[in-house]
Amino acid sequence: MRLAALAAALAVTLATAKAGVVADDDYDAYTPLSLTTRGAYAPQELQNGHWLNATCTAGAFIDFFIDVDATHIHDNLFLEVFHDAAASQRFVKPDSLRLSLFIDEIPADRKSDLWTAHSPDRTYSLAVNAHEIVTGRYFASVQCGDEDASFGIFAEFAHAELNFSTVETSHICANELLYHMVNISEDILSSSSHLKFQVCTPPESRADLSLTSRVGEPPLRLAEPAVLVDSGGGCASFTQCNAVLEEGLVWLGIFGDGLCSAYNVSVVAVPATGDDDDLGCSTELGGGLGTTVRVKNLHLEHVQRDTCQPHSW
């Protein structure tokens, strides 16, 4: 009798499957994909500047999205996930979560060039800078590790364009390169004014920031000479001589290392006095006072040895 009942139940299951009907109890087991979800599992929308709380089971994905339109095409996009571990946990694995970012759709293999899966302070962060951001839909996917987890996710557009004598506040984490830019008019050029950039971090900051700049195009890497803002808070500034300026955009690149930190950034026009040395202005794109670019010749069948500092070239 038991074999007969089992055979009958199997026959009903096969018939249901052939008919393309799914039992009601099976709907909770998965979230079907469709063309409208673009490869995401029931994605939740992220609102600019607002936290959203969520949970995931071990190995599962939780998907979110935020749209970029023309109003944010020159902003830095910042995404942060905070692992809300229980207060009783003395040890939290630094790889408890994985945060990935996709543009327009999530591929079947869920592989992305922009991802992070390690955090010493339970904060996982990704950023899209003002040079690389494009209009469209960005998907953020959070995957749990080998344990269930609760977390909060935050998305924010940070204003990248600088206006003279105003202060912009933003946020940066390790291995992120963010940009700010200022538009140089003919009036600035004709007045022979220099540009003075300043970046400040709060006393509780545990981030090391490196500053570099470029006229006309964003600095795509941490070029020397760079100006440093060390952990522990403080300010750093540099002045670019009017002689290297051109009409259009001057870009400031900020490279983050260490832990996440807030920062303030500003730019002012400094009237020229005729003595550039007294002002300490620089004709170098890096903003420092270096005089040469370190380029060495390579010789065939000869080993060339050298040293470098973190993130330098």
Side-chain angles (χ1 to χ4, degrees):
M1 283 294 289
R2 295 177 61 186
L3 290 177
L6 180 60
L10 181 60
V12 172
T13 302
L14 291 175
T16 303
K18 290 180 179 179
V21 179
V22 180
D24 292 340
D25 293 341
D26 292 336
Y27 275 112
D28 294 332
Y30 73 98
T31 302
L33 300 178
S34 68
L35 293 177
T36 57
T37 63
R38 305 184 194 180
Y41 296 106
Q44 304 176 63
E45 184 173 6
L46 296 173
Q47 301 294 332
N48 180 32
H50 293 274
W51 278 93
L52 184 63
N53 295 320
T55 60
C56 58
T57 56
F61 296 91
I62 305 296
D63 296 334
F64 308 87
F65 73 90
I66 187 168
D67 291 324
V68 177
D69 57 24
T71 60
H72 297 297
I73 196 59
H74 297 299
D75 292 342
N76 294 308
L77 173 59
F78 183 78
L79 289 162
E80 181 175 292
V81 170
F82 180 75
H83 181 197
D84 188 18
S88 59
Q89 287 186 256
R90 293 185 177 181
F91 173 75
V92 178
K93 294 181 179 179
D95 56 353
S96 299
L97 299 173
R98 179 187 178 95
L99 172 63
S100 302
L101 192 62
F102 306 89
I103 302 176
D104 287 334
E105 65 177 355
I106 299 178
D109 59 8
R110 288 186 168 258
K111 291 183 178 180
S112 173
D113 293 332
L114 195 57
W115 60 275
T116 180
H118 181 86
S119 172
D121 61 350
R122 298 188 294 170
T123 300
Y124 300 78
S125 173
L126 292 175
V128 182
N129 62 54
H131 174 62
E132 297 175 339
I133 196 169
V134 296
T135 57
R137 176 161 294 185
Y138 281 78
F139 288 97
S141 181
V142 179
Q143 183 185 21
C144 262
D146 53 10
E147 297 178 356
D148 299 355
S150 298
F151 62 89
I153 184 170
F154 176 81
E156 183 177 46
F157 292 104
H159 197 55
E161 187 173 359
L162 300 176
N163 295 313
F164 287 102
S165 300
T166 62
V167 178
E168 293 290 341
T169 300
S170 190
H171 201 266
I172 193 169
C173 290
N175 300 319
E176 293 178 352
L177 175 60
L178 299 182
Y179 291 122
H180 294 275
M181 74 287 285
V182 59
N183 190 33
I184 303 301
S185 65
E186 178 61 33
D187 292 338
I188 295 293
L189 295 178
S190 60
S191 67
S192 299
S193 295
H194 308 301
L195 289 187
K196 182 178 181 180
F197 292 96
Q198 179 170 274
V199 175
C200 299
T201 56
E204 64 274 13
S205 172
R206 293 298 177 264
D208 295 313
L209 306 184
S210 300
L211 316 179
T212 187
S213 64
R214 189 176 178 185
V215 176
E217 298 288 341
L220 300 181
R221 66 181 189 180
L222 186 56
E224 292 292 343
V227 177
L228 304 180
V229 185
D230 294 327
S231 61
C235 296
S237 63
F238 64 87
T239 303
Q240 284 194 325
C241 298
N242 181 272
V244 300
L245 300 180
E246 299 175 357
E247 189 172 357
L249 295 180
V250 174
W251 293 75
L252 171 68
I254 304 178
F255 188 92
D257 198 8
L259 301 182
C260 300
S261 176
Y263 68 86
N264 292 334
V265 56
S266 62
V267 61
V268 295
V270 180
T273 62
D275 188 351
D276 292 343
D277 292 334
D278 289 342
L279 284 171
C281 77
S282 171
T283 57
E284 306 252 348
L285 296 181
L289 298 176
T291 57
T292 60
V293 178
R294 297 188 64 211
V295 179
K296 295 186 176 182
N297 291 329
L298 292 178
H299 304 281
L300 290 176
E301 301 180 1
H302 178 76
V303 177
Q304 181 80 31
R305 299 187 181 277
D306 210 326
T307 61
C308 63
Q309 296 178 343
H311 308 297
S312 65
W313 296 80

